[in-house]
Amino acid sequence: MKPAVRIAITGAAGNIGYAAAFRISSGEMLGKDQPVILQLIEIEPALEALKGVEMELLDCAFPLLEEIITTADLSVGFKDVDYALLIGSKPRTKGMERSDLLNDNGKIFGPQGRAINDHASRDVKVLVIGNPANTNALIAMSNAPDLSSAQFTSMMRLDHNRALNQLALKTDTPVSDITRLTVWGNHSLTQYPDINHCSIGGESATSLVDMSWYRESFLSKVQKRGAEIINARGASSAASAASAAIDHMRAWVFGTPDDDWTSMGIASTGDYGISEELMFSFPVRCKNGDYEVVRGLDMNDFSQEMIQKTEKELLEEREAVIHLL
Amino acid sequence: MKPAVRIAITGAAGNIGYAAAFRISSGEMLGKDQPVILQLIEIEPALEALKGVEMELLDCAFPLLEEIITTADLSVGFKDVDYALLIGSKPRTKGMERSDLLNDNGKIFGPQGRAINDHASRDVKVLVIGNPANTNALIAMSNAPDLSSAQFTSMMRLDHNRALNQLALKTDTPVSDITRLTVWGNHSLTQYPDINHCSIGGESATSLVDMSWYRESFLSKVQKRGAEIINARGASSAASAASAAIDHMRAWVFGTPDDDWTSMGIASTGDYGISEELMFSFPVRCKNGDYEVVRGLDMNDFSQEMIQKTEKELLEEREAVIHLL
């Protein structure tokens, strides 16, 4: 048996954390031969509920789950972790200004970034899920100067999977026949789900769907899917977000298929003209535990306009938290 | 790729159903090479929430999830299903008489048994999870005269896993080193977690733990674990129950390891002196999609007393719903 790896999950008693922890413990993220130690982090008031989550995890008798640590102390929670899923964040409440939202979350992700910097494994892979995810990831990354920027990512895989599903439903194709889709930019309403390089069962997606459907219906359907789920369930996406987090990490660790790529929020290094020092979603290929941006894709005027719009939003978000970077 | 199998889940918008559906869709129950069609069943008032669950499942872009059907119509929901997980039940409310609880649930599980009888695959495997699970399973089975009694089971695997965990914690052993544990009888406070034939890392469990701990602490800890979880989480066991359901089905389909067995509520055929026509948990070995009771285990006086006590409770439950059988 391989030695166990350590996985930190913040907001572990929340709905996404709850959905993620069991699938991770069963080996869904890192494989059926990889023992895991879960380091579950919550704020003080949620520690009792977290105890309940721990009990349930133990009650599953998962053969791969070697140990569980529950804590509100970041230096304990992030100690030696190989992977960190930052799920817990402060949700937007009614009447809350966007700048307050960004600031309040900055106060969470700054200290988490510092704790990861000071205590985590030097090879830690960090995924930020808590919203506003891109800017939260930027804040965490900026507070971890001893680590590489490339170790911090934000989750776009839920948007990516949602876009795959809409395209699959429209074309009556299995999702696994769809490749080379990209969701660019921010995990927000300005995200740009791009099918221009996408292949469906070997055929060009743009030849299979009507472009007015794509621009007028598909884009907003994917962008607003979160709200649609809340309306139906009376609760925000939880298990699907957890599933996307697992997909993101699996891709990062085990690689993307040769003929495909995925969408990840990563620190921009200027590709496609996107300002550096933004956490921006690009098409990326993963291999041997690393990722790189898929370069040289042809961007038409519409695509250019769309990625500039989402970049502009991220620049504004960055401006609002600049004192935290 | 194998042809898809159909899996019905009742109470699919509830917490256990929600936790189960995603893991089943990812291939955790039937394997990573087995496509599935989910037939999600809810009562009318929960259909809107169920729609939200369906959307989230689709948003996961699970390669194995071929189709989702959502319905309140049992004849649609159980049509041609190969597996049925009966999770939805009426919970006990404050001041409710036990006979009312049994009766109200009988009214759910009788029609479900008939619908399974009339519409499911002739090889359907049924697992009842909704409480009182054993008697609900008995009612469903009794209403499905065209199917074999052996196709109906009730879930004891959560109790089994809870007992494994307590023993693992006590002896500081990995759960996977513990074999031949049994939880006998009813999924209730009278259940009997039995370590008399249990092996821990090759040694007899009874030689490794103090028998007064076993009788005075372990038994009640396992029996009352559900309440302990509710106290901590503020909600009843969900993901651990879903995980146990997956374990139960996996064992039934893929078999138990040669040197081990599991605990399943099954229709008694008189083994160990237990009255026939009760749904009673026995130690069972599974192979090639079938199961059989592990016979010939030595039962000491304490064990005899314990299984008679839980049998008595089940006989009383049966008496309360005899008009539904």
Side-chain angles (χ1 to χ4, degrees), chain A residues 254-275:
Chain A
F254 297 108
T256 44
D258 285 343
D259 62 342
D260 200 5
W261 60 63
T262 188
S263 306
M264 283 169 64
I266 59 170
S268 168
T269 53
D271 286 295
Y272 296 96
I274 300 301
S275 318

Side-chain angles (χ1 to χ4, degrees), chain A residues 86-107:
Chain A
L86 309 188
I87 298 175
S89 66
K90 189 161 172 175
R92 190 165 191 163
T93 48
K94 219 166 178 163
M96 192 182 200
E97 291 292 327
R98 188 148 146 274
S99 55
D100 290 335
L101 176 74
L102 287 159
N103 253 302
D104 286 355
N105 276 292
K107 288 177 200 148

Side-chain angles (χ1 to χ4, degrees), chain B residues 150 153-154 156-157 160 180-184 247-248 251-252 255-268 271-272 280-287 290-295 297:
Chain B
T153 63
S154 69
M156 295 299 286
R157 186 61 179 253
H160 184 97
R180 304 189 180 207
L181 180 112
T182 309
V183 183
W184 300 82
D247 289 346
H248 176 112
W252 194 353
T256 43
D258 284 344
D259 61 341
D260 200 5
W261 60 63
T262 187
S263 306
M264 283 168 64
I266 59 171
S268 167
D271 286 295
Y272 294 97
F280 194 93
S281 181
F282 291 96
V284 303
R285 286 206 175 90
C286 306
K287 201 173 182 178
D290 290 320
Y291 57 81
E292 62 174 16
V293 173
V294 178
R295 300 199 166 88
L297 296 178

Side-chain angles (χ1 to χ4, degrees), chain A residues 94-298:
Chain A
K94 219 166 178 163
M96 192 182 200
E97 291 292 327
R98 188 148 146 274
S99 55
D100 290 335
L101 176 74
L102 287 159
N103 253 302
D104 286 355
N105 276 292
K107 288 177 200 148
I108 297 172
F109 288 85
Q112 290 185 356
R114 277 191 292 282
I116 291 170
N117 185 71
D118 294 346
H119 303 287
S121 156
R122 296 302 86 187
D123 298 317
V124 65
K125 288 178 159 61
V126 182
L127 168 60
V128 176
I129 295 144
N131 285 321
N134 299 54
T135 296
N136 288 341
L138 184 71
I139 294 168
M141 178 190 91
S142 303
N143 284 275
D146 302 339
L147 298 170
S148 159
S149 305
Q151 291 173 260
F152 289 79
T153 62
S154 70
M155 190 165 89
M156 294 299 286
R157 186 63 178 253
L158 181 54
D159 309 289
H160 184 96
N161 286 348
R162 285 168 171 170
L164 283 178
N165 172 49
Q166 291 303 325
L167 214 44
L169 291 176
K170 179 70 176 177
T171 58
D172 198 18
T173 313
V175 282
S176 42
D177 284 359
I178 306 178
T179 56
R180 303 191 180 206
L181 181 112
T182 310
V183 183
W184 300 82
N186 198 6
H187 173 65
S188 74
L189 293 177
T190 69
Q191 65 176 263
Y192 172 44
D194 176 7
I195 66 164
N196 285 290
H197 312 95
C198 181
S199 159
I200 303 182
E203 289 189 77
S204 157
T206 53
S207 71
L208 292 173
V209 301
D210 184 57
M211 289 312 276
S212 65
W213 169 82
Y214 169 63
R215 293 192 187 185
E216 282 146 37
S217 174
F218 172 82
L219 291 182
S220 72
K221 184 88 178 175
V222 175
Q223 289 161 341
K224 295 175 184 165
R225 182 68 161 181
E228 195 186 356
I229 303 270
I230 290 174
N231 283 339
R233 281 191 70 220
S236 59
S237 303
S240 57
S243 198
I246 287 168
D247 288 346
H248 176 113
M249 282 300 198
R250 274 193 77 83
W252 194 353
V253 173
F254 297 108
T256 44
D258 285 343
D259 62 342
D260 200 5
W261 60 63
T262 188
S263 306
M264 283 169 64
I266 59 170
S268 168
T269 53
D271 286 295
Y272 296 96
I274 300 301
S275 318
E276 293 186 32
E277 296 178 20
L278 282 187
M279 195 62 66
F280 194 92
S281 180
F282 291 98
V284 303
R285 285 206 174 90
C286 306
K287 201 173 182 177
N288 301 328
D290 291 321
Y291 58 81
E292 63 174 15
V293 173
V294 179
R295 300 199 167 89
L297 296 178
D298 180 51

Side-chain angles (χ1 to χ4, degrees), chain B residues 8-23:
Chain B
I9 303 177
T10 70
N15 291 332
I16 300 175
Y18 184 72
F22 292 82
R23 291 190 61 199

Side-chain angles (χ1 to χ4, degrees), chain A residues 18 22-23 26 28 32 48-49 51-53 55-56 58-63 158 161-162 164-166 169 175-176 225 228-229 231-233 236-241 243 247, chain B residues 18 22-23 26 28 32 48-49 51-53 55-56 58-63 158 161-162 164-166 169 175-176 225 228-229 231-233 236-241 243 247:
Chain A
Y18 184 72
F22 292 82
R23 292 190 60 199
S26 80
E28 284 275 281
K32 295 289 183 188
E48 179 67 13
K51 217 63 197 159
V53 176
M55 285 189 253
E56 277 209 81
L58 292 170
D59 285 351
C60 291
F62 287 122
L158 181 54
N161 286 348
R162 285 168 171 170
L164 283 178
N165 172 49
Q166 291 303 325
L169 291 176
V175 282
S176 42
R225 182 68 161 181
E228 195 186 356
I229 303 270
N231 283 339
R233 281 191 70 220
S236 59
S237 303
S240 57
S243 198
D247 288 346
Chain B
Y18 184 72
F22 292 82
R23 291 190 61 199
S26 79
E28 284 276 282
K32 295 289 184 188
E48 179 66 13
K51 219 59 199 160
V53 176
M55 286 190 257
E56 278 208 83
L58 291 171
D59 285 352
C60 291
F62 288 121
L158 181 53
N161 286 347
R162 285 168 172 171
L164 283 177
N165 172 49
Q166 291 303 325
L169 291 176
V175 281
S176 41
R225 183 68 163 180
E228 194 185 356
I229 304 271
N231 283 339
R233 281 191 71 219
S236 59
S237 303
S240 56
S243 198
D247 289 346

